[in-house]
Amino acid sequence: MMTIDLSNKDGIHQAIKGAFKYLKPPPKRLPSEWAEEKCRIPSGNAIPGPVRFANAPYQVEPLNMTVHPDCYRISLMWGAQTGKSQTQLMSIGFFIDQEPSSQMVMQPTQTDMSVWLNAKFEPMITSTPSLEDKVAKARAREGVNNQNMKSYPGGFLMFAWAGSPSTQRGRSAPKIFPDEIDGYTKTAEGYSVDLLWQRAATFGDQRLLFESSTPTIKGNSNIENAFEAGDQRRWFIDCPDCGESQFLKWSQVTWQKADDGEHLPETAMYCCEHCAALWNDGARHKAIRLGRWIAEKPFRGHASYHLPELASTFRKLKDIVISFLEKKASGDLQTFTNVSLAETWALEGEKQDPDSLYARREHYSAEVPSGAYVVTAAVDVQDDRLEIQYEAWGEGEENWKVAFDVLRGDLNKPEIWKRLDAALDRKFKHETGLMLDIAGTTIDTGGHYTQAVYDYVKRRGYGVFAIKGSSSQDAPIVNRPTKSNLGKVNLFSLGVHKIKATIMQRSRILETGYGYVHFPISEEFDREWFDQYTAEELVTKYVKGIRKEVWNKTRPRNEAFDLSGYNYACLRILNPDFKQLKREFEQRQFSKNTPDKPKKPQQPSGSWVNTGGSWL
Ligand SMILES: [Zn+2]
């Protein structure tokens, strides 16, 4: 392990000013000195008023690395309550006020950008007089101030969002600040941060990339890739008892349970990994204030930082434990891992357990229980049969597996396709008594009967969607359809990796409601179905030295898992408005249950269908 002597503000002061000695004159002030002198934290934050790094000492070094002559890239993989946005903001302020330079800020979406502008950037500007004077006022005669760009003497601050290549085209700046980069999806043109960086090449050694994010899925995380590419710094603190140095780890957090098994978060303590001394919040916070960054690898221009919420002096251990217990109860430990620990969530090696899913089957009160408003179907095309799975969906994508059917026959002959017509014209009885049509069906074109499937989709017309899987790990769950195929039909490309990861994650949710999956007690959903549903696991492989996450079949048949993915894709294609559907169901049920009212004209048929279709 290599130690860099940038241990505290004075340390980095020396190191940074020293680094300038032979290159160019050092800045008049370091960004951290400028921030304490000029910057104010707007009200509404934990500690409003002048910036003081005593409670967030870990912000000093990355902030000052922005002017280190050998540093071109800074990556923050930080958790909640650590101030990673604030650290980026102070750097931006420094390059407005002290060393004017053009800058580009990037957010995942336009909405994220306006939230950032209104909730973070504008309050900092208006509470910091030296910045307010410089950033052009809206409608001022000189300068620009709008949702795309703001000007100040000596530069422009430009805004772009990753989902929109048009906001990036033809614009570049030497200082680049991408925020929440794990929310960026790759566009046809590539990964936005790479594109911005390439475009900034003309600025030479003025170039600086300062990115930040909480991480997401292991193997598919931009910020973790960035952290691993850098020198991997962690905040080391000394044990108040034994004096040994260590960085904070969740595995060292401990708390008691009552005799009845109830957790007691208020007893939470941090346990020293060397001497097992227990630290309370006071001892932990004091040690954090005296901490320092230590890198695991040599510095070669890219400083990367990992910091969990445990290292925040604004959080009590009790509250972090409560958050852990809540997320665990709702089957969403991924959020805790990503947001609090600032670590990626590993899907690898996690196999779903067919026994526990089989054990939670339930009796439905109707074919489609209340709470579900949309029925989808999916067809898997095998050489000697078609397999059809029917599912229902409610608010928050709560999911009910409804029915399963197999049609055997010769796929070259029309007979089996006629039987498929009947299967897709099937109606389902809702708990309210309404009869529901299938709102949409996805059918796989990937087998040996692609042309037959195209013909069928063309004949059926709207409501049957041809699909094919995309092997790219970054592919979105469903892409816009293209017609460039032999059948000239709308063909939807599915992001198989994301769909499978979603299905697996949803199966772990234990509370009904958002994302929960219901399984019926029915002969169609037998033990074999559950074995198929849990037939795949995610494993890590190294292909020519590069880490890859690969889905691995643990048994030959996995149609139930595939069909669940196709149904989920169908829901995303239909994109129904569940709030609207809920209102419609309530109205229909009301008019059905009140015979005293004058009779309204009846619907032409007892069934109806929601088409939602956002792309169709
Ligand atoms: Zn110790």
Side-chain angles (χ1 to χ4, degrees), residues 12 35 49 115 132 173 184 191 235 254 307 350 391 407 498 508:
I12 189 148
V115 169
E132 195 174 27
Y184 296 8
Y191 173 47
W235 191 249
T254 173
L307 194 69
E350 271 199 54
E391 303 191 9
L407 306 179
K498 285 190 179 155
R508 282 196 293 265

PDB file of all heavy atoms in Angstrom, residues 12 35 49 115 132 173 184 191 235 254 307 350 391 407 498 508:
ATOM      1  N   ILE A  12      -1.853  18.840   2.176  1.00  0.00           N
ATOM      2  CA  ILE A  12      -2.118  18.995   0.748  1.00  0.00           C
ATOM      3  C   ILE A  12      -1.704  20.370   0.265  1.00  0.00           C
ATOM      4  O   ILE A  12      -1.261  20.547  -0.867  1.00  0.00           O
ATOM      5  CB  ILE A  12      -3.578  18.697   0.400  1.00  0.00           C
ATOM      6  CG1 ILE A  12      -3.712  18.674  -1.111  1.00  0.00           C
ATOM      7  CG2 ILE A  12      -4.531  19.704   0.982  1.00  0.00           C
ATOM      8  CD1 ILE A  12      -4.719  17.750  -1.612  1.00  0.00           C
ATOM      9  N   ALA A  35     -12.908  28.368  -0.646  1.00  0.00           N
ATOM     10  CA  ALA A  35     -14.249  27.962  -0.226  1.00  0.00           C
ATOM     11  C   ALA A  35     -14.526  28.418   1.208  1.00  0.00           C
ATOM     12  O   ALA A  35     -15.609  28.937   1.497  1.00  0.00           O
ATOM     13  CB  ALA A  35     -14.404  26.448  -0.349  1.00  0.00           C
ATOM     14  N   GLY A  49     -24.414  28.288   6.345  1.00  0.00           N
ATOM     15  CA  GLY A  49     -23.462  29.328   6.754  1.00  0.00           C
ATOM     16  C   GLY A  49     -22.141  29.152   6.032  1.00  0.00           C
ATOM     17  O   GLY A  49     -22.061  28.415   5.051  1.00  0.00           O
ATOM     18  N   VAL A 115     -33.313  20.026 -11.504  1.00  0.00           N
ATOM     19  CA  VAL A 115     -33.259  19.880 -10.037  1.00  0.00           C
ATOM     20  C   VAL A 115     -31.913  20.386  -9.512  1.00  0.00           C
ATOM     21  O   VAL A 115     -31.848  21.137  -8.537  1.00  0.00           O
ATOM     22  CB  VAL A 115     -33.481  18.404  -9.624  1.00  0.00           C
ATOM     23  CG1 VAL A 115     -33.154  18.201  -8.151  1.00  0.00           C
ATOM     24  CG2 VAL A 115     -34.919  17.986  -9.911  1.00  0.00           C
ATOM     25  N   GLU A 132     -22.268  35.597  -7.145  1.00  0.00           N
ATOM     26  CA  GLU A 132     -23.467  36.251  -7.653  1.00  0.00           C
ATOM     27  C   GLU A 132     -23.109  37.446  -8.523  1.00  0.00           C
ATOM     28  O   GLU A 132     -23.724  37.691  -9.554  1.00  0.00           O
ATOM     29  CB  GLU A 132     -24.374  36.683  -6.502  1.00  0.00           C
ATOM     30  CG  GLU A 132     -25.778  37.020  -6.998  1.00  0.00           C
ATOM     31  CD  GLU A 132     -26.742  37.319  -5.873  1.00  0.00           C
ATOM     32  OE1 GLU A 132     -26.292  37.758  -4.795  1.00  0.00           O
ATOM     33  OE2 GLU A 132     -27.954  37.116  -6.087  1.00  0.00           O
ATOM     34  N   ALA A 173     -15.599  22.018 -23.206  1.00  0.00           N
ATOM     35  CA  ALA A 173     -15.034  22.874 -22.170  1.00  0.00           C
ATOM     36  C   ALA A 173     -13.868  22.123 -21.552  1.00  0.00           C
ATOM     37  O   ALA A 173     -13.862  20.896 -21.547  1.00  0.00           O
ATOM     38  CB  ALA A 173     -16.090  23.187 -21.107  1.00  0.00           C
ATOM     39  N   TYR A 184     -26.127   7.132 -16.321  1.00  0.00           N
ATOM     40  CA  TYR A 184     -25.977   7.427 -17.747  1.00  0.00           C
ATOM     41  C   TYR A 184     -26.126   6.139 -18.541  1.00  0.00           C
ATOM     42  O   TYR A 184     -25.437   5.160 -18.282  1.00  0.00           O
ATOM     43  CB  TYR A 184     -24.585   7.997 -18.060  1.00  0.00           C
ATOM     44  CG  TYR A 184     -24.257   9.333 -17.436  1.00  0.00           C
ATOM     45  CD1 TYR A 184     -25.106   9.916 -16.500  1.00  0.00           C
ATOM     46  CD2 TYR A 184     -23.098  10.012 -17.779  1.00  0.00           C
ATOM     47  CE1 TYR A 184     -24.792  11.133 -15.919  1.00  0.00           C
ATOM     48  CE2 TYR A 184     -22.774  11.237 -17.200  1.00  0.00           C
ATOM     49  CZ  TYR A 184     -23.622  11.788 -16.268  1.00  0.00           C
ATOM     50  OH  TYR A 184     -23.303  12.981 -15.694  1.00  0.00           O
ATOM     51  N   TYR A 191     -20.480   6.382 -24.722  1.00  0.00           N
ATOM     52  CA  TYR A 191     -20.637   6.807 -23.330  1.00  0.00           C
ATOM     53  C   TYR A 191     -20.324   8.304 -23.251  1.00  0.00           C
ATOM     54  O   TYR A 191     -19.237   8.753 -23.627  1.00  0.00           O
ATOM     55  CB  TYR A 191     -19.692   5.960 -22.466  1.00  0.00           C
ATOM     56  CG  TYR A 191     -19.590   6.369 -21.020  1.00  0.00           C
ATOM     57  CD1 TYR A 191     -20.734   6.636 -20.267  1.00  0.00           C
ATOM     58  CD2 TYR A 191     -18.354   6.469 -20.392  1.00  0.00           C
ATOM     59  CE1 TYR A 191     -20.643   6.987 -18.932  1.00  0.00           C
ATOM     60  CE2 TYR A 191     -18.243   6.817 -19.053  1.00  0.00           C
ATOM     61  CZ  TYR A 191     -19.392   7.085 -18.328  1.00  0.00           C
ATOM     62  OH  TYR A 191     -19.291   7.430 -17.006  1.00  0.00           O
ATOM     63  N   TRP A 235     -10.580   6.768   3.202  1.00  0.00           N
ATOM     64  CA  TRP A 235     -10.416   7.647   4.362  1.00  0.00           C
ATOM     65  C   TRP A 235     -10.013   6.805   5.570  1.00  0.00           C
ATOM     66  O   TRP A 235     -10.833   6.082   6.113  1.00  0.00           O
ATOM     67  CB  TRP A 235     -11.714   8.403   4.633  1.00  0.00           C
ATOM     68  CG  TRP A 235     -11.576   9.509   5.633  1.00  0.00           C
ATOM     69  CD1 TRP A 235     -12.097   9.556   6.887  1.00  0.00           C
ATOM     70  CD2 TRP A 235     -10.900  10.758   5.450  1.00  0.00           C
ATOM     71  NE1 TRP A 235     -11.788  10.735   7.496  1.00  0.00           N
ATOM     72  CE2 TRP A 235     -11.045  11.497   6.634  1.00  0.00           C
ATOM     73  CE3 TRP A 235     -10.168  11.319   4.393  1.00  0.00           C
ATOM     74  CZ2 TRP A 235     -10.494  12.776   6.801  1.00  0.00           C
ATOM     75  CZ3 TRP A 235      -9.633  12.586   4.554  1.00  0.00           C
ATOM     76  CH2 TRP A 235      -9.791  13.297   5.749  1.00  0.00           C
ATOM     77  N   THR A 254     -21.855  -3.209  14.751  1.00  0.00           N
ATOM     78  CA  THR A 254     -22.497  -4.247  15.563  1.00  0.00           C
ATOM     79  C   THR A 254     -23.608  -3.639  16.420  1.00  0.00           C
ATOM     80  O   THR A 254     -23.541  -2.468  16.776  1.00  0.00           O
ATOM     81  CB  THR A 254     -21.440  -4.947  16.439  1.00  0.00           C
ATOM     82  OG1 THR A 254     -22.114  -5.836  17.330  1.00  0.00           O
ATOM     83  CG2 THR A 254     -20.637  -3.960  17.275  1.00  0.00           C
ATOM     84  N   LEU A 307     -15.947   6.610  -0.382  1.00  0.00           N
ATOM     85  CA  LEU A 307     -16.346   7.080   0.948  1.00  0.00           C
ATOM     86  C   LEU A 307     -17.779   6.630   1.256  1.00  0.00           C
ATOM     87  O   LEU A 307     -18.720   7.044   0.586  1.00  0.00           O
ATOM     88  CB  LEU A 307     -16.270   8.621   0.997  1.00  0.00           C
ATOM     89  CG  LEU A 307     -16.338   9.257   2.385  1.00  0.00           C
ATOM     90  CD1 LEU A 307     -15.082   8.968   3.185  1.00  0.00           C
ATOM     91  CD2 LEU A 307     -16.543  10.762   2.271  1.00  0.00           C
ATOM     92  N   GLU A 350     -25.382 -15.226  -7.260  1.00  0.00           N
ATOM     93  CA  GLU A 350     -26.615 -15.293  -6.509  1.00  0.00           C
ATOM     94  C   GLU A 350     -27.604 -16.117  -7.282  1.00  0.00           C
ATOM     95  O   GLU A 350     -28.014 -15.760  -8.370  1.00  0.00           O
ATOM     96  CB  GLU A 350     -27.167 -13.893  -6.309  1.00  0.00           C
ATOM     97  CG  GLU A 350     -26.615 -13.284  -5.073  1.00  0.00           C
ATOM     98  CD  GLU A 350     -27.467 -12.136  -4.627  1.00  0.00           C
ATOM     99  OE1 GLU A 350     -28.675 -12.333  -4.467  1.00  0.00           O
ATOM    100  OE2 GLU A 350     -26.916 -11.060  -4.475  1.00  0.00           O
ATOM    101  N   GLU A 391     -49.666 -12.965 -17.586  1.00  0.00           N
ATOM    102  CA  GLU A 391     -49.374 -12.288 -16.322  1.00  0.00           C
ATOM    103  C   GLU A 391     -50.254 -11.054 -16.177  1.00  0.00           C
ATOM    104  O   GLU A 391     -50.761 -10.523 -17.165  1.00  0.00           O
ATOM    105  CB  GLU A 391     -47.894 -11.874 -16.262  1.00  0.00           C
ATOM    106  CG  GLU A 391     -46.959 -13.060 -16.439  1.00  0.00           C
ATOM    107  CD  GLU A 391     -45.511 -12.749 -16.119  1.00  0.00           C
ATOM    108  OE1 GLU A 391     -45.229 -11.647 -15.593  1.00  0.00           O
ATOM    109  OE2 GLU A 391     -44.667 -13.622 -16.388  1.00  0.00           O
ATOM    110  N   LEU A 407     -48.630 -25.312 -26.333  1.00  0.00           N
ATOM    111  CA  LEU A 407     -49.274 -25.826 -27.549  1.00  0.00           C
ATOM    112  C   LEU A 407     -48.231 -26.632 -28.306  1.00  0.00           C
ATOM    113  O   LEU A 407     -47.190 -26.093 -28.685  1.00  0.00           O
ATOM    114  CB  LEU A 407     -49.760 -24.674 -28.440  1.00  0.00           C
ATOM    115  CG  LEU A 407     -50.671 -23.619 -27.807  1.00  0.00           C
ATOM    116  CD1 LEU A 407     -51.016 -22.544 -28.839  1.00  0.00           C
ATOM    117  CD2 LEU A 407     -51.940 -24.256 -27.267  1.00  0.00           C
ATOM    118  N   LYS A 498     -30.461  -6.473 -18.405  1.00  0.00           N
ATOM    119  CA  LYS A 498     -31.201  -5.648 -17.443  1.00  0.00           C
ATOM    120  C   LYS A 498     -32.520  -6.309 -17.053  1.00  0.00           C
ATOM    121  O   LYS A 498     -32.951  -6.229 -15.911  1.00  0.00           O
ATOM    122  CB  LYS A 498     -31.443  -4.258 -18.025  1.00  0.00           C
ATOM    123  CG  LYS A 498     -30.174  -3.441 -17.993  1.00  0.00           C
ATOM    124  CD  LYS A 498     -30.358  -1.988 -18.323  1.00  0.00           C
ATOM    125  CE  LYS A 498     -29.001  -1.296 -18.222  1.00  0.00           C
ATOM    126  NZ  LYS A 498     -28.901  -0.115 -19.034  1.00  0.00           N
ATOM    127  N   ARG A 508     -36.714 -11.132  -4.952  1.00  0.00           N
ATOM    128  CA  ARG A 508     -36.223 -11.058  -3.574  1.00  0.00           C
ATOM    129  C   ARG A 508     -37.065 -10.125  -2.705  1.00  0.00           C
ATOM    130  O   ARG A 508     -36.887 -10.076  -1.491  1.00  0.00           O
ATOM    131  CB  ARG A 508     -34.771 -10.578  -3.562  1.00  0.00           C
ATOM    132  CG  ARG A 508     -33.784 -11.654  -3.936  1.00  0.00           C
ATOM    133  CD  ARG A 508     -32.391 -11.235  -3.540  1.00  0.00           C
ATOM    134  NE  ARG A 508     -31.947 -10.107  -4.330  1.00  0.00           N
ATOM    135  CZ  ARG A 508     -31.208 -10.216  -5.431  1.00  0.00           C
ATOM    136  NH1 ARG A 508     -30.831 -11.386  -5.855  1.00  0.00           N
ATOM    137  NH2 ARG A 508     -30.856  -9.155  -6.093  1.00  0.00           N
TER     138      ARG A 508
END
